[in-house]
Amino acid sequence: MTRTVGCVVVGGGIAGLMTAARLAAAGWTVVLLERGLLGSGATTSNHGMIHSGALYARWHPEIVAACQQAQIAYQSSFPECVVTTEPSWYLAHPETLHTYETLWRRHGIAHHTVEMPEIRELLRDQERDIGACAVGELVIDTRALLGELAARCEALGVEIAVATGAHRIVVHNGAVQAIDTAQGRISTPNVVVCAGIGTKQLLETSGSVIGAQLSSRLEMMMAYPGRLPRPIIGLEFGWPALAPAAEAGTVLASRYGGVQRWVDRPGRWPVPATEAATLDGELRDWFVPGVIDHDGGVAWVCSKTEHTGAQRDQWGTAPDYAVIDHFTKESISGLWTVLPGKMTLSMHASRDVVSQITGTTTPLDLPAHHPVSDDRAAELVAVSPWAAHREAQLR
């Protein structure tokens, strides 16, 4: 028997859960579909950084203000999910750092110079021509955030259906009618697609032409046993970026502007051995012994999906968020696609799509409206790649 709801949200990452929570808080009946466990795509695979905009001041100044707003909103909305760290260090050659400092002052981003003796306690090569500035960035426990959002959604009446993929959005006479899943059809006049790398395939299967405007790329990341009191981010192309994970004793590492592999479908993507070995070797050259345990490294790939119409940089990436109303683009009413760009901008993306659907503007932050318990909700959340690897070793 087909049942009817006000809106179906496809995708159980941060953006999907935030969208579902906002709609439910506005009085809508909502079903959220996730083909795996919550956050099993990009959400649980990244650094967990909520940016101040400092990293984007040079190449993507258009998102700096949104990042600053989002950082404040995350701190006020999810204080229990914030990981305590010392201020982030941004490393660069002196001339590059001078450029960024000028831009940071222009955008009102607080920072201060890190003295060379502190830098030399961390870097192996004492002869590197490097400077550093400290900026107060935010690190979020993404698994805790997913659990908290899931609990809030359930408290607001959202039906969360994990292990339930969306097969096709049913469109008739230019309007959304329903959505087909493996468990049956759900009748609804509204669908919001927040499915990350699965967005393109779902839209194409449903007859939308917008899928051709989306691109997905894979970025390799690694996790190591180690101790790192703060995120450390290189501002030069190809330099490493490290952050302490929420799980104590784990350090996450990637490369700024690293190799991007373009894909157009979900899948189980292998990690190129040469890329992992190269990054590991560079980290050995960069950091003094004791920061990370190179014998315990684990590598994986993290997908990022973006709108090709956005402003793209020299590496072909576009970190800004996009909310696509399919009625204005291709005359399909009741269908929206949400691409948060960065986890930081999920606050803006979810707020904007819900404002379009309901016709009312809502605040950026997401205060808890009900007391919640995340015991059951936590069971719906996927484990992080490094944690899954550790569990497999124990078994």
Side-chain angles (χ1 to χ4, degrees), residues 210-288:
I210 298 299
Q213 301 175 13
L214 310 183
S215 64
S216 296
R217 55 192 170 90
L218 303 177
E219 180 181 13
M220 190 199 71
M221 292 190 61
M222 298 188 72
Y224 294 91
R227 297 286 176 182
L228 190 68
R230 69 183 80 243
I232 299 170
I233 302 169
L235 292 173
E236 307 288 356
F237 179 75
W239 281 20
L242 288 77
E247 181 182 353
T250 301
V251 177
L252 309 180
S254 65
R255 184 185 288 109
Y256 178 50
V259 176
Q260 309 288 332
R261 289 185 291 152
W262 302 93
V263 295
D264 62 1
R265 292 290 186 273
R268 295 178 61 86
W269 307 106
V271 178
T274 53
E275 289 182 27
T278 299
L279 177 58
D280 185 71
E282 291 172 355
L283 294 174
R284 289 178 186 271
D285 291 339
W286 269 91
F287 297 99
V288 299

Side-chain angles (χ1 to χ4, degrees), residues 18 50-52 67-85 136-140 145 152 344 347 364-367:
M18 285 184 173
I50 305 299
H51 291 274
S52 67
C67 287
Q68 292 172 314
Q69 296 160 4
Q71 197 177 79
I72 295 170
Y74 270 99
Q75 285 179 308
S76 63
S77 301
F78 307 102
E80 67 283 355
C81 301
V82 174
V83 179
T84 301
T85 70
E137 300 291 14
L138 194 68
V139 178
I140 287 283
L145 177 57
R152 292 189 190 187
T344 301
M347 282 280 194
L364 186 61
D365 62 345
L366 271 166

Side-chain angles (χ1 to χ4, degrees), residues 53-64 67 90-92 95-97 99-100 103-104 106-107 109 233-239 256-257 310-320:
L55 181 61
Y56 305 108
R58 185 176 188 180
W59 302 116
H60 291 285
E62 70 278 3
I63 70 171
V64 171
C67 287
Y90 283 93
L91 306 177
E95 58 272 21
T96 300
L97 201 59
T99 298
Y100 274 91
L103 295 170
W104 292 340
R106 185 178 304 166
H107 289 287
I109 298 174
I233 302 169
L235 292 173
E236 307 288 356
F237 179 75
W239 281 20
Y256 178 50
Q311 184 174 339
R312 308 181 80 75
D313 57 26
Q314 62 268 50
W315 305 299
T317 62
D320 201 356

Side-chain angles (χ1 to χ4, degrees), residues 55-237:
L55 181 61
Y56 305 108
R58 185 176 188 180
W59 302 116
H60 291 285
E62 70 278 3
I63 70 171
V64 171
C67 287
Q68 292 172 314
Q69 296 160 4
Q71 197 177 79
I72 295 170
Y74 270 99
Q75 285 179 308
S76 63
S77 301
F78 307 102
E80 67 283 355
C81 301
V82 174
V83 179
T84 301
T85 70
E86 297 180 18
S88 303
W89 284 1
Y90 283 93
L91 306 177
H93 294 309
E95 58 272 21
T96 300
L97 201 59
H98 175 72
T99 298
Y100 274 91
E101 287 186 274
T102 301
L103 295 170
W104 292 340
R105 285 191 291 271
R106 185 178 304 166
H107 289 287
I109 298 174
H111 61 282
H112 67 267
T113 301
V114 180
E115 300 300 327
M116 190 55 64
E118 292 183 83
I119 299 174
R120 288 175 175 166
E121 290 179 1
L122 178 70
L123 299 186
R124 179 188 289 273
D125 187 348
Q126 305 296 314
E127 302 303 317
R128 291 182 189 270
D129 185 22
I130 285 180
C133 278
V135 176
E137 300 291 14
L138 194 68
V139 178
I140 287 283
D141 182 340
T142 52
R143 291 201 71 237
L145 177 57
L146 287 162
E148 173 68 15
L149 279 169
R152 292 189 190 187
C153 281
E154 291 191 330
L156 289 164
V158 175
E159 179 185 341
I160 298 176
V162 297
T164 306
H167 292 173
R168 184 173 69 98
I169 301 164
V170 181
V171 178
H172 182 66
N173 290 334
V176 168
Q177 302 291 313
I179 188 163
D180 289 333
T181 76
Q183 284 71 37
R185 174 168 291 190
I186 303 173
S187 178
T188 181
N190 298 286
V191 171
V192 181
V193 182
C194 309
I197 196 172
T199 300
K200 181 182 179 75
Q201 187 174 27
L202 177 60
L203 292 180
E204 290 177 345
T205 301
S206 306
S208 169
V209 300
I210 298 299
Q213 301 175 13
L214 310 183
S215 64
S216 296
R217 55 192 170 90
L218 303 177
E219 180 181 13
M220 190 199 71
M221 292 190 61
M222 298 188 72
Y224 294 91
R227 297 286 176 182
L228 190 68
R230 69 183 80 243
I232 299 170
I233 302 169
L235 292 173
E236 307 288 356
F237 179 75

